[in-house]
Amino acid sequence: MTQRVEQHVAAFNQAVETGRWDEFGARFSPGARMTFVGAPAGPFEGRAAIVAAYQENPPTDTMKLLPESEQDGTDGIRFEWSKGGRGTMRLRWAPDGKVTSLEITFDD
């Protein structure tokens, strides 16, 4: 598991707890894309749209990283919600460390 993924999830959890999505949104590049596979949300194009999506429909669960992961040009990370349920995140990164692409898939 990469440190950047751990930092991303820690920032997400802090935003869930504080409601400060602008700070979390700063982790994304200006042209980032966020998609949800099999969920009726998005895609969201650009940092402003990603922040707006979180502000308009904020998650209430924090997440915990699971040990399974893969790295094939992306960070493929398994996670578990604090209130139950699991999923996978696939993150791509810019050279400056910002997220350029986030794809989220929820387990059935």
Side-chain angles (χ1 to χ4, degrees), residues 45-61:
E45 303 285 345
R47 179 189 299 149
I50 292 168
V51 170
Y54 280 119
Q55 289 173 332
E56 292 168 11
N57 192 17
T60 58
D61 288 16

Side-chain angles (χ1 to χ4, degrees), residues 2-102:
T2 65
Q3 183 177 4
R4 64 188 178 186
V5 170
E6 291 172 350
Q7 291 171 345
H8 184 79
V9 170
F12 173 85
N13 289 340
Q14 182 176 12
V16 169
E17 293 168 2
T18 65
R20 295 196 311 249
W21 292 102
D22 285 331
E23 293 177 25
F24 177 70
R27 302 185 57 77
F28 291 84
S29 66
R33 177 181 171 91
M34 181 172 71
T35 58
F36 293 88
V37 176
F44 302 99
E45 303 285 345
R47 179 189 299 149
I50 292 168
V51 170
Y54 280 119
Q55 289 173 332
E56 292 168 11
N57 192 17
T60 58
D61 288 16
T62 56
M63 64 173 58
K64 176 178 92 172
L65 294 171
L66 299 174
E68 310 101 34
S69 66
E70 47 185 86
Q71 295 172 321
D72 59 358
T74 66
D75 286 322
I77 307 301
R78 298 278 302 146
F79 66 88
E80 182 173 66
W81 294 112
S82 59
K83 295 179 184 174
R86 292 182 174 197
T88 303
M89 290 189 299
R90 292 187 119 2
L91 295 114
R92 290 191 186 273
W93 306 89
D96 66 359
K98 302 281 185 188
V99 175
T100 61
S101 175
L102 171 58

